[in-house]
Amino acid sequence: MTRRDLDSNAGASPGTGAGADADAGEGARRVATVLFERYSDDFDLRHGGGIERALYQLSTALAARGVRVHWYRRQDCPDAQALARRAAALSADAVFPLPDSPLFWRQAPSTDAGLRARVVRIWHDVGALTHGRGVVLPCDRHRAGGDPAAPCSAAHAHPALYAADVCFRDEPWTRCFPRRQVIPWAVDHLPRLDHRDRDGPVLLLAGKARLEIVTAAVDACRARGVPVRVIFSGWTTLGRQAKAHFDDPVARAGCDVVRDYRLDEDHARVFGGISAAFVLSQYHETFNFLAAECVHFGLPVVGLRGAGATDGFASLLVDDAAALRAVIAQDRFRALAPKPMAPWGWDDVAAAYLDLIGRATREDGAPCDAGPRAHPVSTP
């Protein structure tokens, strides 16, 4: 995906863009229209992060079902009123802001009831709900046996005011959101291949855990004579620190450092011949694409305990750098079996979102308080 791909229907009017031909033969049934926010910088599948890739895949799956898909950038709709006008002009059934959109985060909600009734927020990054980006605890009101008079720790996120909040699995912190829906991402945009070689190198994610944990894994692999293929999480401060560290020839000795790749074209270069993947994250992950992709390609995942959804994809969890060194020193990663992958594809994701859109809004635009609903196939 390139910026041109995203912009190709960004300014389209109703009746044009993806799904426009679906009106033919549909009789009186109206074709659904959705409006996605995207980041303002140039984006393609080589450099983009998880949220960009996920929204692109979701938009593609929706378009394949005949949905009209439109995009906007922050500068296109700098305030809620401008976005409401854009949504009204398109007759948009749903508006999907980015997780960090200032219009729907820590600001007074829009007074436009029609816009509020169509906003679907995807909680891909829950770091803003915590002081750090680690464990996300349930609030005193919504925890099991909580105090109904206690304040809700997510109240600043206005959890009751919009059409729906989408989470990727039902966790205690998600119960702060009374209209939550559980819809995980998928990974079937990649070919179904077994890339594993039990005698091959390990794949190491750098940039989501402290550098001393990353270097502990590298040092243990060197001592054992195990080659390491390093990839990075580029959006974090830890990622920039890790990239700078591996710029040093001494630090990257014995490592194949992969700095740039397009996953759909370069998956063999990233995952090919790998024995196991060390997906080291100290963040609370809602859906870790790398961990899911490893499982998709037949690789067992070793992760740090307490990283949210990453735990569900991991065949082995360790508590700290010492435990990680022991796993490598004993070659325990080679005997691991990968977790089974859920039979859940992007078409299923699109169907779940269409179901959500249909239930979350009425014809008059008022929100429907449908309550939480988990879809039948979910990530581990």
Side-chain angles (χ1 to χ4, degrees):
M1 179 177 61
T2 65
R3 179 171 178 170
R4 181 176 300 173
D5 295 326
L6 286 176
D7 283 343
S8 62
N9 63 357
S13 60
T16 65
D21 294 336
D23 284 325
E26 288 289 319
R29 190 174 65 145
R30 189 167 68 83
V31 176
T33 300
V34 297
L35 183 58
F36 283 95
E37 183 181 7
R38 72 169 180 85
Y39 289 111
S40 299
D41 54 349
D42 289 336
F43 167 66
D44 60 40
L45 288 176
R46 185 170 296 277
H47 301 101
I51 186 64
E52 295 101 330
R53 187 158 77 250
L55 291 181
Y56 173 72
Q57 294 300 150
L58 173 57
S59 69
T60 301
L62 287 171
R65 282 179 163 262
V67 176
R68 294 191 181 102
V69 177
H70 299 265
W71 297 86
Y72 73 96
R73 298 166 299 179
R74 189 169 297 175
Q75 61 264 39
D76 301 327
C77 301
D79 54 48
Q81 291 72 31
L83 181 55
R85 290 193 297 270
R86 178 71 174 273
L90 294 170
S91 297
D93 297 277
V95 177
F96 291 83
L98 288 166
D100 57 353
S101 171
L103 299 186
F104 304 100
W105 180 249
R106 295 185 185 276
Q107 289 190 7
S110 166
T111 57
D112 188 287
L115 177 61
R116 288 203 310 270
R118 285 162 176 76
V119 168
V120 177
R121 300 184 303 174
I122 302 173
W123 285 93
H124 182 84
D125 176 13
V126 298
L129 293 176
T130 67
H131 293 297
R133 293 183 180 269
V135 177
V136 186
L137 299 174
C139 74
D140 289 336
R141 182 191 301 177
H142 294 105
R143 62 179 170 80
D147 179 2
C152 173
S153 57
H156 58 289
H158 310 297
L161 290 176
Y162 301 110
D165 290 275
V166 175
C167 307
F168 298 94
R169 54 185 191 156
D170 192 15
E171 297 185 65
W173 67 268
T174 69
R175 293 162 199 164
C176 295
F177 298 85
R179 295 174 184 168
R180 71 189 184 277
Q181 310 292 321
V182 178
I183 308 176
W185 297 134
V187 292
D188 64 333
H189 53 285
L190 298 170
R192 192 70 176 94
L193 299 170
D194 187 348
H195 276 311
R196 189 182 190 190
D197 179 352
R198 290 177 183 269
D199 297 319
V202 299
L203 180 67
L204 175 65
L205 173 66
K208 285 191 175 182
R210 295 190 307 275
L211 187 59
E212 56 263 33
I213 295 177
V214 173
T215 56
V218 172
D219 290 344
C221 286
R222 283 199 191 108
R224 193 67 180 170
V226 178
V228 181
R229 189 174 300 162
V230 182
I231 59 175
F232 301 93
S233 174
W235 60 270
T236 65
T237 300
L238 291 173
R240 292 188 288 273
Q241 182 185 33
K243 286 182 177 180
H245 172 79
F246 284 100
D247 280 340
D248 183 347
V250 175
R252 68 172 180 268
C255 299
D256 172 20
V257 177
V258 180
R259 295 182 179 274
D260 183 68
Y261 61 89
R262 174 167 171 157
L263 194 58
D264 56 342
E265 297 175 350
D266 302 332
H267 52 83
R269 182 160 67 96
V270 177
F271 298 102
I274 292 295
S275 57
F278 293 91
V279 183
L280 306 180
S281 176
Q282 295 177 288
Y283 296 101
H284 185 98
E285 306 276 9
T286 54
F287 186 95
N288 186 301
F289 260 114
L290 177 62
E293 289 156 357
C294 288
V295 171
H296 181 80
F297 286 126
L299 308 181
V301 171
V302 178
L304 295 174
R305 195 181 310 277
T310 309
D311 290 9
F313 292 111
S315 299
L316 179 66
L317 294 170
V318 297
D319 291 311
D320 51 30
L324 182 60
R325 283 193 292 267
V327 167
I328 296 169
Q330 298 163 12
D331 273 350
R332 288 169 56 196
F333 60 90
R334 297 196 190 278
L336 296 174
K339 280 289 187 76
M341 195 68 189
W344 174 255
W346 282 108
D347 185 62
D348 301 298
V349 177
Y353 274 96
L354 283 174
D355 179 53
L356 178 155
I357 293 167
R359 289 181 298 104
T361 59
R362 298 192 185 103
E363 287 300 317
D364 61 1
C368 174
D369 195 1
R373 177 169 174 175
H375 289 276
V377 181
S378 169
T379 52

